Amino acid sequence: MTAPLAGVTVLDVATLFAGPLAAAFLGDFGADVIKVEHPSRPDPSRGHGPAKDGVGLWWKVLGRNKRTITCDLADPRGADLLRRLVADADVLVENFRPGTLERWGLGPAELHAVNPRLVVARISGFGQVGPYARRPGFGTLAEAMSGFAAATGEPEGPPTLPPFGLADSVTALAAAYAVMLALRSRDLTGAGQVVDLAIIEPIMAVLGPQITWYDQLGYVQPRLGNRSNNNAPRNTYRCADGRWVAVSSSAQSIAERLLRLVGRPDLVDEPWFATGTGRAEHADELDAAVGAWVARHDWDEVVAAFEEAQAAVAPVYDVRDILADPQYAALGTAVAVPDEDLGTVRMQNVPFRMSASPGAIRHAGRRHGQDTDDVLRALGVGDAELAALREAGVI
C-alpha cells in the first residue's frame, strides 16, 4: 500500500522537541524526512534522558523514520546547501529564535524565491510577532503561561508542571496538522505558505473553555487535584494491595451504577445527585464512599467488579503495566523497531490506525550525519566538494 505522504520531502532543521516530533509524525506516514543538524552541535535530544552504551534513547524515538545529515546553516556555504535542498522539498520545519533564519539569508522570502511551493513551519516559544517573540521559549514556559500549571495540582499546593514535554508534544500534533492543511491549500492554489506556531497556544486550545468562562462569568478555574468541578466521583483511589485506580462518573447513569456498586444507593436518591455539578459539590461524601469500598478490595477485584457493574474505571499504569496489557497489545501500541545500534528497540507506534494507508515506524533514529554524503551527492555535490566542506567544518 502506498503511504499517504509518499513523495513528500520534509526538511527538519529544528531541535528540542516540538519541531522534530512534528516532522516524525509526517515521516510515520511516508514523508522523506531529512534531519539537518549542526556538524559539531547535534540535536540536544541525542543526549537527553537515559542512554544505553552511550546511545541516547530519546533520540531513537524522536529521530525515527529520518535520514540524518549535517550542515552549518550559519556558514554561507551551508546556507547554500540548504537552498539547494529546498528547491525540491515540500516542507521545512524550523524552531530557531525569530530572526535567526533571516540573518542567515534563509528567511521565508528567500526560501520561497527558490521554491514558491514550499511550506515553512515556524515553531517558536512565543510566535514570530509580539513583545516576547525574541525570548527563548520552551514547553515548560508554555505549560506555565497557558493556564495549565495554574489549574493543575492540589488545591492548597503549588502550580504543577508535567514531568514530560506536554506543551511540545501538543504543539507537534498541531504543527503536523497545520502542515497537512498547508499542503492541501497548495494543492488548490499552487503556492506554499508560512505556518506560525507559538508553543504557548496549542496547549491552551486543549484546556477547555477557560477563556469563555472568564469572559462570560469572571470564573477562573481553580486547582482541584484529581477532582472535577463538573462531576463526582472523579478521583484516584488506593486498593487494598497498594495499587491505584482512576474512576470517572461524567455520565449520570455511570454515577448511579458506581454508588450502588459500593453499597451507597441511598446517595443516588439525594436531590443533589441528579446533576454533575450537584455531585461535585458533595465530592467529599462521594469520595469517602468510593474510597472506603476500593480500599477493602485488591486491584483485580476492583476492576472486575466495576466491569461487571458497567462502571468506568482504569488502573493507574506505569510503563511495565502498559507493555503487559492485552488491550494495548491488541492495538499494537508498542512496536519493536530495527536499529543499527541497539538491534531492536521498542517504542510507541503511530497513534492511530488507517485501514487503507497505515503509517509505520520503519527505523529508529539514525546516527549523527549518517546520510550526509548520500543526500548531498543527490544534489550533485561531488567527492572533492564534500571533502572541502567537511574540512571546513560546514558538514
Side-chain angles (χ1 to χ4, degrees):
M1 290 177 285
T2 301
L5 294 180
V8 172
T9 298
V10 177
L11 301 177
D12 172 8
V13 301
T15 59
L16 287 180
F17 287 97
L21 184 55
F25 287 142
L26 300 174
D28 291 345
F29 285 87
D32 177 18
V33 181
I34 300 173
K35 172 72 175 179
V36 182
E37 299 175 81
H38 192 278
S40 60
R41 297 190 301 275
D43 190 318
S45 67
R46 291 181 180 272
H48 267 58
K52 181 180 179 181
D53 299 330
V55 177
L57 299 179
W58 201 333
W59 164 254
K60 290 299 181 182
V61 177
L62 196 62
R64 66 184 186 269
N65 293 338
K66 300 179 183 181
R67 295 193 285 166
T68 58
I69 72 170
T70 60
C71 183
D72 182 358
L73 302 182
D75 187 293
R77 292 163 293 184
D80 181 64
L81 288 175
L82 185 70
R83 283 189 286 267
R84 292 164 69 179
L85 286 167
V86 160
D88 292 317
D90 299 281
V91 180
L92 181 139
V93 180
E94 67 97 359
N95 70 340
F96 294 103
R97 205 176 302 186
T100 301
L101 283 185
E102 286 81 356
R103 189 169 69 249
W104 296 337
L106 296 172
E110 290 85 359
L111 298 179
H112 280 144
V114 174
N115 180 357
R117 292 173 54 82
L118 183 72
V119 172
V120 181
R122 314 196 75 176
I123 300 172
S124 61
F126 303 99
Q128 299 295 312
V129 299
Y132 304 161
R134 293 182 181 271
R135 289 182 181 180
F138 298 97
T140 298
L141 308 187
E143 290 145 10
M145 288 184 63
S146 64
F148 173 86
T152 304
E154 294 300 321
E156 303 304 321
T160 302
L161 297 168
F164 61 95
L166 176 62
D168 281 303
S169 299
V170 175
T171 298
L173 287 167
Y177 171 52
V179 165
M180 296 307 302
L181 293 176
L183 289 173
R184 174 57 177 158
S185 176
R186 190 186 71 175
D187 290 342
L188 299 173
T189 67
Q193 61 181 291
V194 177
V195 177
D196 176 10
L197 289 107
I199 298 175
I200 57 174
E201 290 183 305
I203 187 173
M204 194 182 300
V206 303
L207 288 178
Q210 61 173 357
I211 291 175
T212 306
W213 281 338
Y214 181 75
D215 175 66
Q216 296 296 307
L217 301 172
Y219 175 78
V220 178
Q221 185 172 352
R223 287 192 290 282
L224 299 169
N226 291 323
R227 288 180 172 177
S228 167
N229 53 11
N230 300 312
N231 66 82
R234 194 262 197 182
N235 215 323
T236 57
Y237 305 93
R238 190 172 187 176
C239 304
D241 56 4
R243 299 188 68 179
W244 292 80
V245 294
V247 173
S248 176
S249 57
S250 297
Q252 182 69 23
S253 60
I254 297 291
E256 293 174 5
R257 292 173 199 157
L258 171 57
L259 269 296
R260 292 190 177 103
L261 169 64
V262 302
R264 294 299 307 272
D266 56 301
L267 295 177
V268 176
D269 297 327
E270 293 287 346
W272 49 261
F273 196 89
T275 66
T277 302
R279 297 196 306 274
E281 291 172 352
H282 292 78
D284 287 343
E285 189 173 359
L286 294 171
D287 272 346
V290 176
W293 183 90
V294 170
R296 295 195 299 270
H297 299 81
D298 287 346
W299 173 84
D300 56 350
E301 297 172 333
V302 172
V303 172
F306 268 72
E307 288 185 353
E308 183 177 354
Q310 298 185 49
V313 68
V316 176
Y317 276 176
D318 65 23
V319 67
R320 295 167 293 186
D321 303 307
I322 291 169
L323 292 176
D325 184 88
Q327 180 61 34
Y328 282 124
L331 294 173
T333 302
V335 62
V337 178
D339 181 71
E340 294 173 320
D341 297 313
L342 303 173
T344 59
V345 56
R346 283 194 291 179
M347 64 180 67
Q348 301 95 317
N349 207 343
V350 296
F352 49 85
R353 286 151 296 283
M354 297 176 67
S355 62
S357 53
I361 300 176
R362 300 174 297 281
H363 60 80
R366 287 162 70 77
R367 298 165 188 160
H368 182 226
Q370 185 169 345
D371 303 291
T372 301
D373 288 6
D374 289 343
V375 171
L376 295 186
R377 282 196 179 103
L379 291 179
V381 179
D383 290 345
E385 186 178 359
L386 283 172
L389 291 170
R390 188 164 279 116
E391 177 68 22
V394 178
I395 62 174

